[in-house]
Amino acid sequence: MTPRTEAELAAIIREARAPLRIEGGGTRPIGGPTNGARLSTSAMRGIALYEPGALTLVVGAGTPLAEVEAALAAEGQRLAFEPMDHRGLLGTEGTPTIGGVVAANVSGPRRVQVGACRDFLLGVRFVDGAGRIVRSGGRVMKNVTGYDLAKLMAGSYGTLGVLTEVALKVLPAPQAAASLTLRGLDDTRAIAALARALGSPFEVTGAAHLPGKGETLLRIEGFAESVAYRAGRLRELLAGFGTVTVEDDPEAVAACWRDIRDVAAFHGRAGDVWRLSVKPTDAPGIVAGLGGVEALHDWGGGLIWLLAPEGRGQAIRAAVAARGGHATRVRGTGADAFHPRPAPVAALEAGLRRRFDPRGLFNPGLMDGTREGA
Amino acid sequence: MQMPDPNPAILARKAELVARLREVLPADAVISDPAETRAYECDALTAYKCPPLAVVLPASTQEVAEALRICHEMGVPVVPRGAGTSLAGGALPTADSVILGVARMNAVLETDYDNRFIRVQAGRTNLSVTGAVEEQGFFYAPDPSSQLACAIAGNVAMNSGGAHCLKYGVTTNNLMGVTMVLMDGTVIELGGAHLDAGGYDLLGLICGSEGQLGVVTEACLRILHKPEGARPMLIGFDSNEVAGACVSDIIKAGVLPVAIEFMDRPCIRATEDFAHAGYPDCEALLIVEVEGSEAEIDAQLALIEEIARRHDPVELRQSRSEEESARIWLGRKSAFGAMGQINDYMCLDGTIPVSALPHVLRRIGEMSREFGLDVANVFHAGDGNMHPLILYDANRPGDLERCEAFGAEILKLCVEVGGCLTGEHGVGIEKRDLMRCQYGADDLAAQMDVKDVFDPAWLLNPAKVFPLDASSARRAA
């Protein structure tokens, strides 16, 4: 089913008698198995409003991400949260949509500096499981009128409602960018170097550590003189960690951070892929304690991508639970893709599910642990 | 402003309630003498007052949980209170409610510069969070103008903003985690020193929920290193339209100033009389501040100057020193004080799309003549968050009502042009009855469904945010 309008969508949902599998472009099959009839948002597309001078974009949920990015690029702007493309990592094909980005709260390396997708979400329209058309937030940058249901929808993977339209804050694309690289640091020293840079006034917009390549990377962006100045200051600041090399060719910098964003190092390789969100300085200990896994570090250490053999879930979850954070299996099989929540939090999530999807239609089983008794 | 009638059954059980609260809290943490509870009868929206049944001042999460459990068992409404600086009546009590004040919970629990966060008890004031980390060169970014007094608890409840959120975002963008007590006394942790949620983004949901979903007792906040420097530029124009166009052009050019403040002629005149900052006598004035190293600041200000010159400014002044910066900010920072000297005033908080600025200012001017009340505009232009100040005389019968009616018309106008009722102050009681201008029945029902899940008996701050007739069935259930 591919409704063309919000009203059509609401009618389909009201008349539905069996579970639905909500899909944008189908490129991010993250979560537990879900066996409903396919319901695609792809026909609810198009840019409804774009005001570059107000940094505001309102767009149909089914609009291809590429179309959004092209429209922004034409005005020298971009989605600052840098949503990753999951196709390479998950072996999927299809066209990523902006609604899918929001539903999965997808961000990239710049999340560490500017915030996640949810931080740029100004408002949403969605249809809930009762067929109610609901609007929350709006199109302006500051809005505390009522509860922030937009945040609730971001990252709820279509289990609370089907997004039909999203309003996003966009930002100017910078004139220049540069990558700074340190080589040969072990994980602990690397995360310490990234922390030093992120704790400086030089506005680092990417901070990754790739143990496989032996590279520790920083990104800075802005006006050309500013990038050159900050590169110099960071090089001084990090002198104790070794020699810093600077790459400022725009295409090389873009390619380097696109690979980090999309976890290119794990493409086409066997094993489960896990995504861990932790306190950055905990990252080296978690990875060392697990053994037998391959890791990539982004967000200054706060995001760990793990390539692990099947069946390591319990050990990974235990390592994260001991220190605080959460682990999501983004590739692999099983019903436990999402991190279990403590009982009172799971009860709140289950209560929200009952209110927004009383008949349990939307992606049942996808975000396990959100249902009572799960 | 209508509030629900106090429940006589609760009033009748005051002595029992107080006795039970005293069993779990220190003697001086339970206030029930009417002479003392009067100190909690209002917040910064002083037009509305009502002493609460009792006040509790717990010192820990555990004490908050005990107090809430008792109120929950006895069916007593609870109104959480940070520092009581709400301009929207967010902490206004009812006669049958207990005020739960978190002011005693103001400790710093942990600072971590490597991981760039600070964990504090929620009663700590906004400015003293920065105070705890500034020796190391760090700061907490959200800076509401009440930051000397306002508490983090209230900032989280209202999702507070400030002058610098164009670059740094508002509270929700800087809040990493909370410890929160639900109405039945259950303690939950949301978020922490890591980023993003592992399940639903409940942290994002509770931020800005006006103390209706739980009582936040501790908060984990993102801290940032201070910029190397910051300097403003002052630009005067002879029309609001041109000033608005200039704001838009600056943003389009790829500069992201940390603040773009806008003052109109009535506001410029009043502040000049009061603060003598040396502002030009013009229709509209922008203060644009940028950050970075000296050279970076020079480059950005040069670009902004080039853009502004295309709009024929009547005055253009780049700050070259700290002293000049202070003078440029002087008038803006004294704007509210200057207004207070002239008259009583009501400060509104609607947000509009930046492109609607000239139209909205023109309409406000027309309405000002219709209502016979003066209005001055000072606001965060970069993000469209307006603060029209309506001047009135509280001692003149009918003036407050006329002022409120005028205010409601301005807020309706904000919604009409695609904006919202409140950008950073919150709904509280002040804008409660205007919510239907912005949201349809289903939109409000969806929000109230969330309230039902977190607080099924509607005991936490129950008479706020939603029109009373919209919430009455749920409150009675």
Side-chain angles (χ1 to χ4, degrees), chain B residues 304-384:
Chain B
I304 292 167
E305 178 165 346
E306 188 194 316
I307 294 163
R309 291 222 180 269
R310 285 184 230 145
H311 294 277
D312 296 321
V314 295
E315 175 134 352
L316 199 149
R317 212 186 290 163
Q318 266 195 42
S319 160
R320 301 270 170 213
S321 67
E322 271 190 33
E323 200 191 342
E324 282 179 26
S325 298
R327 279 196 79 71
I328 287 177
W329 276 111
L330 177 64
R332 167 64 185 89
K333 290 190 172 165
S334 2
F336 287 52
M339 293 299 157
Q341 286 284 308
I342 304 176
N343 247 337
D344 300 301
Y345 68 81
M346 185 166 111
C347 173
L348 302 177
D349 175 43
T351 305
I352 56 167
V354 180
S355 51
L357 201 61
H359 168 70
V360 169
L361 289 177
R362 199 165 45 243
R363 281 292 298 137
I364 289 176
E366 289 163 11
M367 285 192 272
S368 166
R369 288 186 287 280
E370 287 160 24
F371 281 90
L373 292 170
D374 286 332
V375 58
N377 284 291
V378 49
F379 56 92
H380 315 304
D383 47 36

